[in-house]
Amino acid sequence: KQEVTQIPAALSVPEGENLVLNCSFTDSAIYNLQWFRQDPGKGLTSLLLIQSSQREQTSGRLNASLDKSSGRSTLYIAASQPGDSATYLCAVRRMDSSYKLIFGSGTRLLVRP
Amino acid sequence: DTEVTQTPKHLVMGMTNKKSLKCEQHMGHRAMYWYKQKAKKPPELMFVYSYEKLSINESVPSRFSPECPNSSLLNLHLHALQPEDSALYLCASSQHGTREDTQYFGPGTRLTVL
């Protein structure tokens, strides 16, 4: 059974700091991994999707890496801003499933001005 | 337009009420999803429609009844709910429902069952 874990559960950093969020998964037979952002009480916004054959994806100040063999992904946020404060969720899609995303519990990020 | 809309934003209902949640997308996507998210927990998949046909029902109780009237619309009919069904209900859509797809999520409906 695939389990997805995100550490830390919460993180508070001063503005301008570079930071790394971690995601680990127990079964390396994944098709892709997706990072989402969720603001309080709101829906999810897709940030980056990494296919299993890829090592990393970049979008602006965000960089996501994937090491399938070790079951890990990281989301790097450069020069953090207060507007980055949100919960960040990673989700994996199993090889045997077209539809199902298995989510981690998320990391709640607070960027202090 | 990469938007999924959901109505209502908030819903309060009693255990004997019947209500419906509505989801709409105009991106031409052919797969649509319902997720349930309890507070401080990750979303959990409930149903998937692919090309207007129900593809996946994740063993959801029959008091939740999905409907896909056309490729742009997805409804979730609610009847005889329990207080533990209170949650944020998220709708999502994706282009074909294939593994390559990115899922686009709506803002959710916050449901409270009294």
Side-chain angles (χ1 to χ4, degrees):
Chain A
K1 180 189 171 189
Q2 177 72 272
E3 292 183 359
V4 182
T5 305
Q6 290 186 249
I7 294 174
L11 183 63
S12 178
V13 300
E15 181 177 4
E17 194 162 296
N18 301 327
L19 58 99
V20 174
L21 307 181
N22 296 294
C23 172
S24 61
F25 45 95
T26 53
D27 186 348
S28 62
I30 66 166
Y31 192 77
N32 55 40
L33 182 145
Q34 201 163 353
W35 282 93
F36 293 89
R37 169 189 171 136
Q38 186 173 31
D39 292 288
K42 300 291 174 69
L44 280 67
T45 301
S46 178
L47 298 173
L48 290 163
L49 184 148
I50 312 178
Q51 303 294 347
S52 63
S53 58
Q54 297 175 318
R55 297 288 260 177
E56 63 180 280
Q57 281 283 344
T58 298
S59 176
R61 294 183 294 109
L62 305 179
N63 176 279
S65 69
L66 175 64
D67 184 342
K68 207 171 68 152
S69 61
S70 67
R72 285 189 288 193
S73 176
T74 61
L75 180 67
Y76 175 83
I77 303 177
S80 59
Q81 302 169 357
D84 295 329
S85 298
T87 296
Y88 290 80
L89 294 146
C90 69
V92 301
R93 182 177 276 121
R94 299 192 317 240
M95 289 292 283
D96 60 352
S97 172
S98 293
Y99 306 111
K100 191 164 184 174
L101 293 176
I102 301 172
F103 286 85
S105 294
T107 294
R108 292 190 308 281
L109 173 65
L110 174 65
V111 181
R112 306 187 304 273
Chain B
D1 181 9
T2 56
E3 191 178 24
V4 176
T5 59
Q6 290 187 243
T7 54
K9 288 185 179 177
H10 302 276
L11 178 63
V12 179
M13 59 186 292
M15 289 190 284
T16 58
N17 292 156
K18 284 186 181 181
K19 297 285 184 184
S20 296
L21 309 185
K22 181 178 172 182
C23 173
E24 195 165 3
Q25 57 86 14
H26 295 288
M27 295 179 277
H29 289 175
R30 303 310 299 271
M32 296 185 77
Y33 312 75
W34 280 115
Y35 287 84
K36 174 181 177 178
Q37 186 178 26
K38 302 280 280 183
K40 292 189 167 45
K41 296 289 187 182
E44 295 178 347
L45 184 65
M46 300 174 71
F47 302 104
V48 181
Y49 273 83
S50 177
Y51 292 81
E52 293 99 71
K53 286 186 169 42
L54 183 64
S55 298
I56 291 182
N57 176 340
E58 290 282 320
S59 303
V60 179
S62 59
R63 57 185 185 269
F64 295 91
S65 175
E67 178 197 20
C68 189
N70 60 57
S71 60
S72 300
L73 277 175
L74 185 66
N75 298 320
L76 186 63
H77 303 297
L78 314 172
H79 173 55
L81 294 193
Q82 304 296 311
E84 58 264 29
D85 296 322
S86 298
L88 181 67
Y89 287 83
L90 295 164
C91 174
S93 71
S94 69
Q95 193 163 13
H96 298 296
T98 63
R99 293 180 297 184
E100 289 81 12
D101 284 359
T102 295
Q103 292 185 19
Y104 294 88
F105 283 77
T109 293
R110 174 75 59 190
L111 174 67
T112 303
V113 181
L114 301 176

